[in-house]
mmCIF file of all heavy atoms in Angstrom:
data_model
loop_
_atom_site.group_PDB
_atom_site.id
_atom_site.type_symbol
_atom_site.label_atom_id
_atom_site.label_comp_id
_atom_site.label_asym_id
_atom_site.label_seq_id
_atom_site.Cartn_x
_atom_site.Cartn_y
_atom_site.Cartn_z
ATOM 1 N N GLU A 1 -20.382 -7.833 1.835
ATOM 2 C CA GLU A 1 -21.583 -8.632 1.666
ATOM 3 C C GLU A 1 -21.226 -9.932 0.946
ATOM 4 O O GLU A 1 -20.170 -10.057 0.370
ATOM 5 C CB GLU A 1 -22.611 -7.849 0.841
ATOM 6 C CG GLU A 1 -23.082 -6.563 1.540
ATOM 7 C CD GLU A 1 -24.154 -5.848 0.745
ATOM 8 O OE1 GLU A 1 -23.767 -5.114 -0.175
ATOM 9 O OE2 GLU A 1 -25.333 -6.021 1.056
ATOM 10 N N GLY A 2 -22.140 -10.896 0.992
ATOM 11 C CA GLY A 2 -21.918 -12.145 0.315
ATOM 12 C C GLY A 2 -21.918 -13.319 1.282
ATOM 13 O O GLY A 2 -21.931 -13.149 2.505
ATOM 14 N N VAL A 3 -21.895 -14.515 0.700
ATOM 15 C CA VAL A 3 -21.888 -15.743 1.512
ATOM 16 C C VAL A 3 -20.633 -15.767 2.370
ATOM 17 O O VAL A 3 -19.530 -15.492 1.893
ATOM 18 C CB VAL A 3 -21.936 -16.989 0.604
ATOM 19 C CG1 VAL A 3 -21.849 -18.266 1.431
ATOM 20 C CG2 VAL A 3 -23.213 -16.977 -0.244
ATOM 21 N N GLU A 4 -20.814 -16.074 3.648
ATOM 22 C CA GLU A 4 -19.687 -16.058 4.576
ATOM 23 C C GLU A 4 -18.643 -17.108 4.200
ATOM 24 O O GLU A 4 -18.989 -18.265 3.894
ATOM 25 C CB GLU A 4 -20.181 -16.285 6.004
ATOM 26 C CG GLU A 4 -19.085 -16.332 7.046
ATOM 27 C CD GLU A 4 -18.331 -15.002 7.204
ATOM 28 O OE1 GLU A 4 -18.806 -13.988 6.672
ATOM 29 O OE2 GLU A 4 -17.292 -15.004 7.855
ATOM 30 N N ILE A 5 -17.389 -16.695 4.185
ATOM 31 C CA ILE A 5 -16.253 -17.612 3.995
ATOM 32 C C ILE A 5 -15.500 -17.658 5.319
ATOM 33 O O ILE A 5 -15.073 -16.619 5.817
ATOM 34 C CB ILE A 5 -15.338 -17.151 2.861
ATOM 35 C CG1 ILE A 5 -16.106 -17.134 1.536
ATOM 36 C CG2 ILE A 5 -14.095 -18.036 2.752
ATOM 37 C CD1 ILE A 5 -15.343 -16.499 0.383
ATOM 38 N N VAL A 6 -15.362 -18.827 5.890
ATOM 39 C CA VAL A 6 -14.771 -18.964 7.212
ATOM 40 C C VAL A 6 -13.317 -19.441 7.074
ATOM 41 O O VAL A 6 -13.070 -20.587 6.688
ATOM 42 C CB VAL A 6 -15.559 -19.963 8.088
ATOM 43 C CG1 VAL A 6 -14.949 -20.061 9.484
ATOM 44 C CG2 VAL A 6 -17.030 -19.527 8.187
ATOM 45 N N PRO A 7 -12.358 -18.577 7.339
ATOM 46 C CA PRO A 7 -10.950 -18.974 7.226
ATOM 47 C C PRO A 7 -10.510 -19.813 8.424
ATOM 48 O O PRO A 7 -11.201 -19.867 9.442
ATOM 49 C CB PRO A 7 -10.220 -17.620 7.212
ATOM 50 C CG PRO A 7 -11.107 -16.727 8.045
ATOM 51 C CD PRO A 7 -12.517 -17.171 7.804
ATOM 52 N N LYS A 8 -9.370 -20.472 8.283
ATOM 53 C CA LYS A 8 -8.779 -21.165 9.419
ATOM 54 C C LYS A 8 -8.285 -20.128 10.433
ATOM 55 O O LYS A 8 -7.512 -19.233 10.069
ATOM 56 C CB LYS A 8 -7.621 -22.023 8.973
ATOM 57 C CG LYS A 8 -7.970 -23.192 8.063
ATOM 58 C CD LYS A 8 -6.717 -23.929 7.640
ATOM 59 C CE LYS A 8 -7.003 -25.010 6.615
ATOM 60 N NZ LYS A 8 -5.746 -25.617 6.092
ATOM 61 N N ASN A 9 -8.721 -20.250 11.662
ATOM 62 C CA ASN A 9 -8.341 -19.283 12.665
ATOM 63 C C ASN A 9 -6.841 -19.181 12.809
ATOM 64 O O ASN A 9 -6.278 -18.083 12.951
ATOM 65 C CB ASN A 9 -8.968 -19.644 14.004
ATOM 66 C CG ASN A 9 -8.737 -18.610 15.067
ATOM 67 O OD1 ASN A 9 -8.991 -17.430 14.852
ATOM 68 N ND2 ASN A 9 -8.235 -19.028 16.201
ATOM 69 N N GLU A 10 -6.143 -20.329 12.751
ATOM 70 C CA GLU A 10 -4.686 -20.307 12.919
ATOM 71 C C GLU A 10 -3.995 -19.543 11.783
ATOM 72 O O GLU A 10 -2.955 -18.897 11.990
ATOM 73 C CB GLU A 10 -4.112 -21.719 13.021
ATOM 74 C CG GLU A 10 -4.369 -22.633 11.814
ATOM 75 C CD GLU A 10 -5.635 -23.454 11.927
ATOM 76 O OE1 GLU A 10 -6.591 -22.993 12.605
ATOM 77 O OE2 GLU A 10 -5.666 -24.559 11.324
ATOM 78 N N ASN A 11 -4.594 -19.574 10.575
ATOM 79 C CA ASN A 11 -4.037 -18.812 9.474
ATOM 80 C C ASN A 11 -4.248 -17.303 9.640
ATOM 81 O O ASN A 11 -3.376 -16.496 9.314
ATOM 82 C CB ASN A 11 -4.632 -19.277 8.155
ATOM 83 C CG ASN A 11 -4.017 -20.578 7.652
ATOM 84 O OD1 ASN A 11 -2.978 -21.001 8.137
ATOM 85 N ND2 ASN A 11 -4.671 -21.211 6.692
ATOM 86 N N VAL A 12 -5.408 -16.935 10.140
ATOM 87 C CA VAL A 12 -5.672 -15.511 10.398
ATOM 88 C C VAL A 12 -4.698 -14.984 11.446
ATOM 89 O O VAL A 12 -4.118 -13.901 11.294
ATOM 90 C CB VAL A 12 -7.138 -15.321 10.870
ATOM 91 C CG1 VAL A 12 -7.389 -13.851 11.211
ATOM 92 C CG2 VAL A 12 -8.108 -15.766 9.774
ATOM 93 N N GLN A 13 -4.520 -15.763 12.517
ATOM 94 C CA GLN A 13 -3.614 -15.341 13.586
ATOM 95 C C GLN A 13 -2.174 -15.240 13.088
ATOM 96 O O GLN A 13 -1.445 -14.287 13.404
ATOM 97 C CB GLN A 13 -3.689 -16.330 14.758
ATOM 98 C CG GLN A 13 -5.081 -16.584 15.309
ATOM 99 C CD GLN A 13 -5.605 -15.430 16.167
ATOM 100 O OE1 GLN A 13 -5.154 -14.310 16.038
ATOM 101 N NE2 GLN A 13 -6.575 -15.710 17.005
ATOM 102 N N LEU A 14 -1.762 -16.211 12.285
ATOM 103 C CA LEU A 14 -0.407 -16.210 11.774
ATOM 104 C C LEU A 14 -0.173 -15.044 10.828
ATOM 105 O O LEU A 14 0.860 -14.374 10.893
ATOM 106 C CB LEU A 14 -0.099 -17.531 11.054
ATOM 107 C CG LEU A 14 1.305 -17.700 10.485
ATOM 108 C CD1 LEU A 14 2.372 -17.592 11.581
ATOM 109 C CD2 LEU A 14 1.446 -19.038 9.734
ATOM 110 N N SER A 15 -1.146 -14.766 9.977
ATOM 111 C CA SER A 15 -1.013 -13.631 9.051
ATOM 112 C C SER A 15 -0.863 -12.328 9.813
ATOM 113 O O SER A 15 -0.025 -11.478 9.483
ATOM 114 C CB SER A 15 -2.246 -13.543 8.133
ATOM 115 O OG SER A 15 -2.281 -14.619 7.226
ATOM 116 N N ALA A 16 -1.691 -12.166 10.850
ATOM 117 C CA ALA A 16 -1.615 -10.933 11.650
ATOM 118 C C ALA A 16 -0.254 -10.786 12.300
ATOM 119 O O ALA A 16 0.318 -9.697 12.332
ATOM 120 C CB ALA A 16 -2.720 -10.940 12.713
ATOM 121 N N LYS A 17 0.277 -11.883 12.810
ATOM 122 C CA LYS A 17 1.589 -11.855 13.458
ATOM 123 C C LYS A 17 2.691 -11.527 12.454
ATOM 124 O O LYS A 17 3.550 -10.678 12.718
ATOM 125 C CB LYS A 17 1.858 -13.196 14.138
ATOM 126 C CG LYS A 17 3.208 -13.300 14.803
ATOM 127 C CD LYS A 17 3.400 -14.671 15.413
ATOM 128 C CE LYS A 17 4.795 -14.814 16.045
ATOM 129 N NZ LYS A 17 5.013 -16.186 16.614
ATOM 130 N N LEU A 18 2.660 -12.207 11.316
ATOM 131 C CA LEU A 18 3.733 -12.029 10.323
ATOM 132 C C LEU A 18 3.684 -10.646 9.661
ATOM 133 O O LEU A 18 4.732 -10.080 9.322
ATOM 134 C CB LEU A 18 3.649 -13.121 9.272
ATOM 135 C CG LEU A 18 3.909 -14.556 9.751
ATOM 136 C CD1 LEU A 18 3.655 -15.538 8.606
ATOM 137 C CD2 LEU A 18 5.317 -14.720 10.283
ATOM 138 N N ASN A 19 2.470 -10.123 9.450
ATOM 139 C CA ASN A 19 2.328 -8.845 8.765
ATOM 140 C C ASN A 19 2.491 -7.624 9.673
ATOM 141 O O ASN A 19 2.439 -6.480 9.226
ATOM 142 C CB ASN A 19 0.953 -8.748 8.082
ATOM 143 C CG ASN A 19 0.811 -9.735 6.935
ATOM 144 O OD1 ASN A 19 1.804 -10.254 6.420
ATOM 145 N ND2 ASN A 19 -0.413 -9.992 6.546
ATOM 146 N N ARG A 20 2.705 -7.886 10.954
ATOM 147 C CA ARG A 20 2.765 -6.801 11.922
ATOM 148 C C ARG A 20 3.836 -5.757 11.610
ATOM 149 O O ARG A 20 3.588 -4.556 11.848
ATOM 150 C CB ARG A 20 3.021 -7.400 13.319
ATOM 151 C CG ARG A 20 3.112 -6.377 14.412
ATOM 152 C CD ARG A 20 3.195 -7.049 15.760
ATOM 153 N NE ARG A 20 3.863 -6.201 16.741
ATOM 154 C CZ ARG A 20 4.129 -6.571 17.983
ATOM 155 N NH1 ARG A 20 3.757 -7.767 18.398
ATOM 156 N NH2 ARG A 20 4.742 -5.749 18.807
ATOM 157 N N PRO A 21 4.987 -6.093 11.039
ATOM 158 C CA PRO A 21 5.953 -5.035 10.729
ATOM 159 C C PRO A 21 5.410 -3.941 9.831
ATOM 160 O O PRO A 21 5.784 -2.755 9.978
ATOM 161 C CB PRO A 21 7.101 -5.799 10.047
ATOM 162 C CG PRO A 21 7.038 -7.170 10.651
ATOM 163 C CD PRO A 21 5.572 -7.438 10.815
ATOM 164 N N ALA A 22 4.515 -4.276 8.912
ATOM 165 C CA ALA A 22 3.914 -3.227 8.058
ATOM 166 C C ALA A 22 3.036 -2.310 8.889
ATOM 167 O O ALA A 22 3.052 -1.088 8.710
ATOM 168 C CB ALA A 22 3.109 -3.861 6.937
ATOM 169 N N GLY A 23 2.268 -2.890 9.821
ATOM 170 C CA GLY A 23 1.453 -2.076 10.709
ATOM 171 C C GLY A 23 2.323 -1.209 11.611
ATOM 172 O O GLY A 23 1.972 -0.041 11.894
ATOM 173 N N ASP A 24 3.441 -1.772 12.067
ATOM 174 C CA ASP A 24 4.336 -1.008 12.943
ATOM 175 C C ASP A 24 4.917 0.189 12.206
ATOM 176 O O ASP A 24 5.120 1.255 12.823
ATOM 177 C CB ASP A 24 5.491 -1.913 13.424
ATOM 178 C CG ASP A 24 5.029 -2.948 14.432
ATOM 179 O OD1 ASP A 24 3.922 -2.820 14.972
ATOM 180 O OD2 ASP A 24 5.815 -3.897 14.690
ATOM 181 N N ARG A 25 5.168 0.070 10.919
ATOM 182 C CA ARG A 25 5.685 1.216 10.150
ATOM 183 C C ARG A 25 4.669 2.357 10.102
ATOM 184 O O ARG A 25 5.048 3.524 10.091
ATOM 185 C CB ARG A 25 6.028 0.776 8.724
ATOM 186 C CG ARG A 25 7.185 -0.220 8.611
ATOM 187 C CD ARG A 25 7.495 -0.510 7.164
ATOM 188 N NE ARG A 25 8.100 0.631 6.498
ATOM 189 C CZ ARG A 25 7.944 0.960 5.240
ATOM 190 N NH1 ARG A 25 7.134 0.218 4.461
ATOM 191 N NH2 ARG A 25 8.549 1.988 4.693
ATOM 192 N N ARG A 26 3.400 2.011 10.092
ATOM 193 C CA ARG A 26 2.368 3.030 10.083
ATOM 194 C C ARG A 26 2.081 3.593 11.471
ATOM 195 O O ARG A 26 1.943 4.803 11.630
ATOM 196 C CB ARG A 26 1.098 2.447 9.448
ATOM 197 C CG ARG A 26 1.246 2.264 7.933
ATOM 198 C CD ARG A 26 0.465 1.098 7.370
ATOM 199 N NE ARG A 26 0.677 0.959 5.922
ATOM 200 C CZ ARG A 26 1.727 0.374 5.379
ATOM 201 N NH1 ARG A 26 2.710 -0.127 6.135
ATOM 202 N NH2 ARG A 26 1.846 0.290 4.060
ATOM 203 N N SER A 27 2.035 2.724 12.480
ATOM 204 C CA SER A 27 1.746 3.219 13.815
ATOM 205 C C SER A 27 2.899 4.052 14.373
ATOM 206 O O SER A 27 2.699 4.897 15.248
ATOM 207 C CB SER A 27 1.441 2.059 14.762
ATOM 208 O OG SER A 27 2.571 1.251 14.989
ATOM 209 N N SER A 28 4.107 3.819 13.869
ATOM 210 C CA SER A 28 5.254 4.612 14.339
ATOM 211 C C SER A 28 5.369 5.959 13.626
ATOM 212 O O SER A 28 6.117 6.828 14.073
ATOM 213 C CB SER A 28 6.556 3.824 14.108
ATOM 214 O OG SER A 28 6.838 3.724 12.730
ATOM 215 N N GLY A 29 4.642 6.098 12.514
ATOM 216 C CA GLY A 29 4.754 7.324 11.721
ATOM 217 C C GLY A 29 5.762 7.230 10.604
ATOM 218 O O GLY A 29 5.904 8.171 9.822
ATOM 219 N N GLU A 30 6.472 6.111 10.505
ATOM 220 C CA GLU A 30 7.448 5.954 9.417
ATOM 221 C C GLU A 30 6.753 6.043 8.058
ATOM 222 O O GLU A 30 7.271 6.665 7.122
ATOM 223 C CB GLU A 30 8.150 4.596 9.544
ATOM 224 C CG GLU A 30 9.148 4.322 8.433
ATOM 225 C CD GLU A 30 9.745 2.924 8.499
ATOM 226 O OE1 GLU A 30 9.629 2.257 9.557
ATOM 227 O OE2 GLU A 30 10.352 2.487 7.498
ATOM 228 N N VAL A 31 5.585 5.438 7.959
ATOM 229 C CA VAL A 31 4.748 5.553 6.745
ATOM 230 C C VAL A 31 3.533 6.370 7.121
ATOM 231 O O VAL A 31 2.708 5.961 7.935
ATOM 232 C CB VAL A 31 4.311 4.152 6.242
ATOM 233 C CG1 VAL A 31 3.319 4.304 5.091
ATOM 234 C CG2 VAL A 31 5.535 3.345 5.783
ATOM 235 N N HIS A 32 3.430 7.564 6.524
ATOM 236 C CA HIS A 32 2.270 8.422 6.764
ATOM 237 C C HIS A 32 1.075 7.821 6.033
ATOM 238 O O HIS A 32 1.149 7.475 4.865
ATOM 239 C CB HIS A 32 2.532 9.826 6.246
ATOM 240 C CG HIS A 32 1.359 10.749 6.388
ATOM 241 N ND1 HIS A 32 1.215 11.599 7.445
ATOM 242 C CD2 HIS A 32 0.264 10.954 5.591
ATOM 243 C CE1 HIS A 32 0.084 12.271 7.321
ATOM 244 N NE2 HIS A 32 -0.507 11.907 6.178
ATOM 245 N N PHE A 33 -0.058 7.698 6.744
ATOM 246 C CA PHE A 33 -1.236 7.097 6.116
ATOM 247 C C PHE A 33 -2.426 8.024 6.225
ATOM 248 O O PHE A 33 -2.566 8.813 7.168
ATOM 249 C CB PHE A 33 -1.560 5.758 6.758
ATOM 250 C CG PHE A 33 -2.045 5.858 8.203
ATOM 251 C CD1 PHE A 33 -3.396 6.024 8.488
ATOM 252 C CD2 PHE A 33 -1.130 5.802 9.251
ATOM 253 C CE1 PHE A 33 -3.816 6.140 9.804
ATOM 254 C CE2 PHE A 33 -1.553 5.897 10.557
ATOM 255 C CZ PHE A 33 -2.909 6.077 10.834
ATOM 256 N N THR A 34 -3.295 7.950 5.226
ATOM 257 C CA THR A 34 -4.635 8.507 5.316
ATOM 258 C C THR A 34 -5.595 7.406 4.861
ATOM 259 O O THR A 34 -5.267 6.631 3.941
ATOM 260 C CB THR A 34 -4.842 9.754 4.437
ATOM 261 O OG1 THR A 34 -4.476 9.446 3.069
ATOM 262 C CG2 THR A 34 -4.002 10.913 4.902
ATOM 263 N N LEU A 35 -6.759 7.376 5.493
ATOM 264 C CA LEU A 35 -7.702 6.317 5.114
ATOM 265 C C LEU A 35 -9.127 6.773 5.323
ATOM 266 O O LEU A 35 -9.407 7.642 6.138
ATOM 267 C CB LEU A 35 -7.421 5.036 5.884
ATOM 268 C CG LEU A 35 -7.659 4.996 7.403
ATOM 269 C CD1 LEU A 35 -9.095 4.596 7.738
ATOM 270 C CD2 LEU A 35 -6.690 4.057 8.085
ATOM 271 N N THR A 36 -9.989 6.131 4.574
ATOM 272 C CA THR A 36 -11.417 6.246 4.812
ATOM 273 C C THR A 36 -12.014 4.862 4.637
ATOM 274 O O THR A 36 -11.359 3.923 4.161
ATOM 275 C CB THR A 36 -12.080 7.249 3.851
ATOM 276 O OG1 THR A 36 -13.381 7.563 4.327
ATOM 277 C CG2 THR A 36 -12.189 6.698 2.428
ATOM 278 N N GLU A 37 -13.257 4.730 5.048
ATOM 279 C CA GLU A 37 -13.961 3.454 4.928
ATOM 280 C C GLU A 37 -15.387 3.752 4.487
ATOM 281 O O GLU A 37 -16.213 4.202 5.272
ATOM 282 C CB GLU A 37 -13.951 2.710 6.275
ATOM 283 C CG GLU A 37 -14.484 1.303 6.196
ATOM 284 C CD GLU A 37 -14.244 0.540 7.499
ATOM 285 O OE1 GLU A 37 -13.061 0.322 7.848
ATOM 286 O OE2 GLU A 37 -15.231 0.176 8.176
ATOM 287 N N ILE A 38 -15.656 3.550 3.209
ATOM 288 C CA ILE A 38 -16.956 3.869 2.632
ATOM 289 C C ILE A 38 -17.995 2.872 3.158
ATOM 290 O O ILE A 38 -17.847 1.664 2.977
ATOM 291 C CB ILE A 38 -16.925 3.800 1.104
ATOM 292 C CG1 ILE A 38 -15.792 4.680 0.546
ATOM 293 C CG2 ILE A 38 -18.279 4.210 0.540
ATOM 294 C CD1 ILE A 38 -15.970 6.142 0.702
ATOM 295 N N PRO A 39 -19.033 3.329 3.819
ATOM 296 C CA PRO A 39 -20.042 2.393 4.335
ATOM 297 C C PRO A 39 -20.691 1.598 3.201
ATOM 298 O O PRO A 39 -20.868 2.102 2.092
ATOM 299 C CB PRO A 39 -21.068 3.307 5.017
ATOM 300 C CG PRO A 39 -20.301 4.548 5.358
ATOM 301 C CD PRO A 39 -19.319 4.718 4.236
ATOM 302 N N THR A 40 -21.014 0.370 3.505
ATOM 303 C CA THR A 40 -21.691 -0.517 2.545
ATOM 304 C C THR A 40 -23.146 -0.651 2.935
ATOM 305 O O THR A 40 -23.547 -0.324 4.059
ATOM 306 C CB THR A 40 -21.036 -1.920 2.575
ATOM 307 O OG1 THR A 40 -21.253 -2.508 3.878
ATOM 308 C CG2 THR A 40 -19.551 -1.835 2.276
ATOM 309 N N PRO A 41 -23.990 -1.192 2.039
ATOM 310 C CA PRO A 41 -25.369 -1.497 2.438
ATOM 311 C C PRO A 41 -25.445 -2.418 3.661
ATOM 312 O O PRO A 41 -26.384 -2.301 4.441
ATOM 313 C CB PRO A 41 -25.944 -2.162 1.169
ATOM 314 C CG PRO A 41 -25.174 -1.541 0.048
ATOM 315 C CD PRO A 41 -23.774 -1.386 0.594
ATOM 316 N N LYS A 42 -24.448 -3.281 3.806
ATOM 317 C CA LYS A 42 -24.429 -4.154 4.982
ATOM 318 C C LYS A 42 -24.239 -3.359 6.261
ATOM 319 O O LYS A 42 -24.875 -3.648 7.288
ATOM 320 C CB LYS A 42 -23.297 -5.187 4.843
ATOM 321 C CG LYS A 42 -23.241 -6.206 5.980
ATOM 322 C CD LYS A 42 -24.443 -7.122 5.974
ATOM 323 C CE LYS A 42 -24.300 -8.236 6.993
ATOM 324 N NZ LYS A 42 -25.501 -9.097 7.037
ATOM 325 N N ASP A 43 -23.394 -2.320 6.225
ATOM 326 C CA ASP A 43 -23.238 -1.441 7.395
ATOM 327 C C ASP A 43 -24.584 -0.800 7.763
ATOM 328 O O ASP A 43 -24.955 -0.738 8.923
ATOM 329 C CB ASP A 43 -22.219 -0.336 7.097
ATOM 330 C CG ASP A 43 -20.802 -0.842 7.055
ATOM 331 O OD1 ASP A 43 -20.429 -1.594 7.942
ATOM 332 O OD2 ASP A 43 -20.087 -0.439 6.117
ATOM 333 N N ALA A 44 -25.295 -0.307 6.740
ATOM 334 C CA ALA A 44 -26.573 0.340 6.977
ATOM 335 C C ALA A 44 -27.572 -0.651 7.577
ATOM 336 O O ALA A 44 -28.327 -0.312 8.498
ATOM 337 C CB ALA A 44 -27.102 0.949 5.686
ATOM 338 N N GLU A 45 -27.546 -1.862 7.048
ATOM 339 C CA GLU A 45 -28.448 -2.907 7.574
ATOM 340 C C GLU A 45 -28.137 -3.193 9.040
ATOM 341 O O GLU A 45 -29.039 -3.296 9.868
ATOM 342 C CB GLU A 45 -28.297 -4.172 6.723
ATOM 343 C CG GLU A 45 -29.122 -5.343 7.208
ATOM 344 C CD GLU A 45 -28.787 -6.627 6.437
ATOM 345 O OE1 GLU A 45 -28.466 -6.529 5.231
ATOM 346 O OE2 GLU A 45 -28.845 -7.702 7.050
ATOM 347 N N ILE A 46 -26.875 -3.347 9.358
ATOM 348 C CA ILE A 46 -26.464 -3.651 10.738
ATOM 349 C C ILE A 46 -26.918 -2.547 11.699
ATOM 350 O O ILE A 46 -27.398 -2.822 12.810
ATOM 351 C CB ILE A 46 -24.937 -3.824 10.814
ATOM 352 C CG1 ILE A 46 -24.513 -5.103 10.113
ATOM 353 C CG2 ILE A 46 -24.467 -3.845 12.278
ATOM 354 C CD1 ILE A 46 -23.015 -5.253 9.927
ATOM 355 N N ASP A 47 -26.820 -1.294 11.236
ATOM 356 C CA ASP A 47 -27.166 -0.167 12.106
ATOM 357 C C ASP A 47 -28.606 0.312 11.955
ATOM 358 O O ASP A 47 -28.986 1.333 12.527
ATOM 359 C CB ASP A 47 -26.197 0.987 11.836
ATOM 360 C CG ASP A 47 -24.811 0.708 12.409
ATOM 361 O OD1 ASP A 47 -24.741 0.101 13.482
ATOM 362 O OD2 ASP A 47 -23.815 1.082 11.769
#
């Protein structure tokens, strides 16, 4: 929630590309992960 902050699209894309090795470690099973995502009031509002 909060006032929207609009990042530079090129920076978001570059971050995703550069950080991909960390994601690859998880998708390959090298790093075992568990996660949850606690809904926010914004989620409830959207739905």
Side-chain angles (χ1 to χ4, degrees):
E1 298 183 277
V3 177
E4 178 64 12
I5 298 172
V6 181
K8 294 177 186 174
N9 186 51
E10 60 269 28
N11 281 346
V12 176
Q13 306 284 23
L14 181 60
S15 291
K17 178 182 177 181
L18 295 175
N19 292 342
R20 179 173 155 183
D24 289 346
R25 294 183 71 213
R26 287 149 181 81
S27 67
S28 69
E30 178 185 345
V31 173
H32 177 95
F33 68 89
T34 55
L35 67 89
T36 194
E37 188 171 296
I38 307 291
T40 64
K42 183 68 174 177
D43 288 315
E45 177 187 327
I46 291 170
D47 287 323

